[in-house]
Amino acid sequence: MLLRDGYEATTLQAIMAAGGVGRSTLFRYFGSKAGIVWGEFDRAVERLRAALRDAGEVPVMTAVRSAVVGSTRLSQAAAPDSWLDRFRVLDRDPALVGEAAAHWRVWAETVSRYVAERAGLDVDAPLSAAIGGAVQGAYVAVLRLWAAAGEVVDIDELDSALRPVTDAFQVVLDGVAQG
């Protein structure tokens, strides 16, 4: 419904009717109409944080790539029929563009903070921010390709798509450590 009609055109009444829930139930779980859209995104960021936290002692950028792939796999498993549709709504609906930038910034900062902590960098250092932004940009590019293709998604392709970015930044981080 949100994908078909758009965020602004979809009423709370239509959402409640489609979900078979009342107003109080809807607001108890989501808090707002935006919460319906952003709630799963926020859970995806938490999955990413957890995957980074549990990454172990592998090279920093290997851990980042594995965490992004693993958290995406969990997001797909949590909502196999709608996870990519949710991205389509977030990425295409003009009413959500401003909020999307703020949410994606949190996602990129999650990666930046992890990289800074693991590599011994200042969390506000340009290199940390560049890595978070580059990984986020590559990730969104893959999601956009998948969303446009409309085919079944193979999450393993994400690993291959992110590898050039993460491998290049690993070389940079190795150089900083030696340097």
Side-chain angles (χ1 to χ4, degrees), residues 69-104:
V69 171
S71 64
T72 302
R73 194 178 309 282
L74 291 173
S75 292
Q76 182 188 39
D81 296 330
S82 64
W83 76 279
L84 196 53
D85 284 342
R86 184 171 283 120
F87 170 76
R88 287 181 182 105
V89 169
L90 298 175
D91 195 50
R92 295 180 186 166
D93 197 299
L96 299 171
V97 170
E99 288 183 56
H103 284 271
W104 279 114

Side-chain angles (χ1 to χ4, degrees), residues 127-138:
L127 180 55
S128 304
I131 292 171
V135 172
Q136 183 257 324

Side-chain angles (χ1 to χ4, degrees), residues 27-88:
F27 283 104
R28 182 178 327 120
Y29 287 98
F30 297 106
S32 67
K33 182 177 166 182
I36 296 167
V37 178
W38 292 112
E40 184 55 35
F41 186 97
D42 295 340
R43 284 186 286 282
V45 172
E46 287 305 316
R47 288 183 195 105
L48 177 61
R49 279 191 188 112
L52 289 167
R53 193 174 42 247
D54 298 340
E57 292 302 317
V58 298
V60 175
M61 297 309 298
T62 299
V64 168
R65 188 178 64 251
S66 295
V68 172
V69 171
S71 64
T72 302
R73 194 178 309 282
L74 291 173
S75 292
Q76 182 188 39
D81 296 330
S82 64
W83 76 279
L84 196 53
D85 284 342
R86 184 171 283 120
F87 170 76
R88 287 181 182 105

